[in-house]
Amino acid sequence: MRDTFVKTLLEIAKKDKNVYIITGDLGFGVLKPFWDELPNQIINAGIAEQNMTSIAAGLALQGKTVYTYSIGNFPTLRCIEQIRNDCAYHNANVKVVCVGGGFVYGSLGMSHHATEDIAMMRSLPDVAVLAPGDLVEAECATKAIYEHQGTCYLRLGRGGERRIHDKLENFAIGKAIEIEKGTNVAVFSTGAIFDEVFDACEHLKQQGIKPTIYTFPTVKPIDKQVILDCAKTHKAIITVEEHNLSGGFGSAVAEVMAESDVKAKLVRVALDDRYSCIVGSQKYLRQQYSIDSKAIIEKIKENW
């Protein structure tokens, strides 16, 4: 996803000289093509993410479209006040980009585990929150937030994610994407953890269990219509996210269902409202905190 994002943004910036990217002193390898081709449209703000965000707001209020770029929690939680006060409040065209949502940087410990970012960002008024599931969605999301007026959050994986789509037609902020039509249980996924959903559902097919599958590249605004339609035609909805249980994608789905008269059960697969106190690979941490394909299989079977 990371490489796809940079490639797509470079194509956009070549056509629009008002597009800038500001990095928090990292990503030099992947950003090298941008440095080489558009040196006047990229800024290294140093290890000073709060300043990075305020610089972006200032540029945006002068007519620029600015992408801030860093890993894990650094472009979000570290500078949430600047995003709120300097960017979102003024409807500034600042696009906050996190490379490494969830447990991507699992071996670096709790400080690098981005597991509260969706909750924080979606609580800010008028901020669009996107978490693409593969590189095709990442490309579409990068283009979509460029066209979108106002502050956005783009949560990316690091790379190597399973490709879901050959291509996408009519991608739009706020729209879920149907992957497979099934029965009884609908599985909603956001972000790169779709890898686990895919493995779980492929395993279940061998047992004659075929759930409906949707990917939600947008968490805010959420696709209410898809949620309500599935809640009317399925016994249960299972949400899957690489994020804390509180305030994230599953909570967004729960809010929609709570304000309707649908009878479907909601089951959320997420980090069980705790900090990760262990370190390891992304795959290992997903297993340790029961958000992997095995946990998804169990939840689907329990509610089938």
Side-chain angles (χ1 to χ4, degrees):
M1 284 191 203
R2 177 184 58 183
D3 292 352
T4 297
F5 160 73
V6 174
K7 179 181 177 182
T8 305
L9 184 60
L10 180 56
E11 292 171 357
I12 293 170
K14 285 179 181 178
K15 298 174 183 177
D16 185 350
K17 298 304 180 184
N18 285 319
V19 171
Y20 282 67
I21 184 169
I22 308 179
T23 176
D25 205 38
L26 50 76
F28 300 119
V30 72
L31 290 173
K32 188 177 186 302
F34 212 110
W35 288 107
D36 290 343
E37 296 195 47
L38 300 173
N40 295 325
Q41 290 171 250
I42 184 168
I43 298 169
N44 179 12
I47 306 174
E49 291 84 0
Q50 294 168 331
N51 290 344
M52 173 181 74
T53 306
S54 293
I55 291 168
L59 286 169
L61 293 175
Q62 293 299 314
K64 312 299 183 184
T65 299
V66 189
Y67 290 70
T68 61
Y69 179 93
S70 191
I71 65 170
N73 294 318
F74 300 163
T76 53
L77 272 64
R78 180 169 288 179
C79 43
I80 194 70
E81 181 180 0
Q82 285 71 29
I83 295 171
R84 177 182 184 268
N85 294 355
D86 298 348
C87 302
Y89 181 68
H90 299 284
N91 198 36
N93 267 329
V94 175
K95 320 303 179 181
V96 179
V97 181
C98 156
V99 177
F103 290 130
V104 168
Y105 291 95
S107 61
L108 298 180
M110 174 265 191
S111 63
H112 285 62
H113 298 167
T115 52
E116 302 85 33
D117 53 315
I118 291 176
M120 295 289 285
M121 295 300 289
R122 84 176 189 92
S123 71
L124 299 177
D126 297 324
V127 174
V129 177
L130 287 82
D134 77 341
L135 58 88
V136 180
E137 289 185 10
E139 178 182 354
C140 292
T142 303
K143 294 176 179 177
I145 62 175
Y146 164 70
E147 298 288 349
H148 183 82
Q149 174 62 44
T151 304
C152 302
Y153 176 43
L154 179 61
R155 186 198 215 225
L156 300 173
R158 188 178 184 183
E161 296 83 11
R162 187 191 308 276
R163 185 171 183 142
I164 306 170
H165 317 279
D166 291 327
K167 62 178 181 178
L168 279 175
E169 303 288 346
N170 303 316
F171 180 96
I173 290 175
K175 296 297 181 183
I177 302 168
E178 184 180 270
I179 305 299
E180 193 161 323
K181 192 72 173 178
T183 59
N184 290 353
V185 173
V187 182
F188 296 164
S189 171
T190 192
I193 201 168
F194 181 83
D195 282 355
E196 304 289 346
V197 173
F198 179 87
D199 289 343
C201 292
E202 286 299 299
H203 176 83
L204 289 171
K205 281 181 185 178
Q206 300 172 15
Q207 303 174 36
I209 297 174
K210 185 181 176 182
T212 294
I213 307 170
Y214 275 88
T215 179
F216 279 69
T218 309
V219 178
K220 181 185 179 182
I222 197 81
D223 193 333
K224 294 181 180 180
Q225 194 59 55
V226 162
I227 296 169
L228 295 176
D229 288 347
C230 286
K232 292 173 183 176
T233 56
H234 295 73
K235 291 168 53 180
I237 290 175
I238 296 174
T239 61
V240 183
E241 61 193 306
E242 196 164 354
H243 186 274
N244 191 36
L245 187 70
S246 298
F249 171 57
S251 294
V253 174
E255 290 162 11
V256 174
M257 294 176 67
E259 294 178 346
S260 71
D261 59 355
V262 296
K263 305 301 182 184
K265 180 181 179 181
L266 175 65
V267 178
R268 294 179 292 165
V269 176
L271 185 63
D272 189 20
D273 200 25
R274 69 175 81 177
Y275 297 110
S276 172
C277 60
I278 57 178
V279 299
S281 69
Q282 184 178 32
K283 189 73 175 176
Y284 175 74
L285 291 177
R286 286 175 176 176
Q287 293 168 352
Q288 291 298 303
Y289 292 107
S290 299
I291 58 172
D292 63 344
S293 60
K294 180 182 177 181
I296 297 166
I297 288 170
E298 291 174 356
K299 295 300 182 184
I300 292 173
K301 283 185 169 181
E302 287 171 7
N303 293 280
W304 190 255

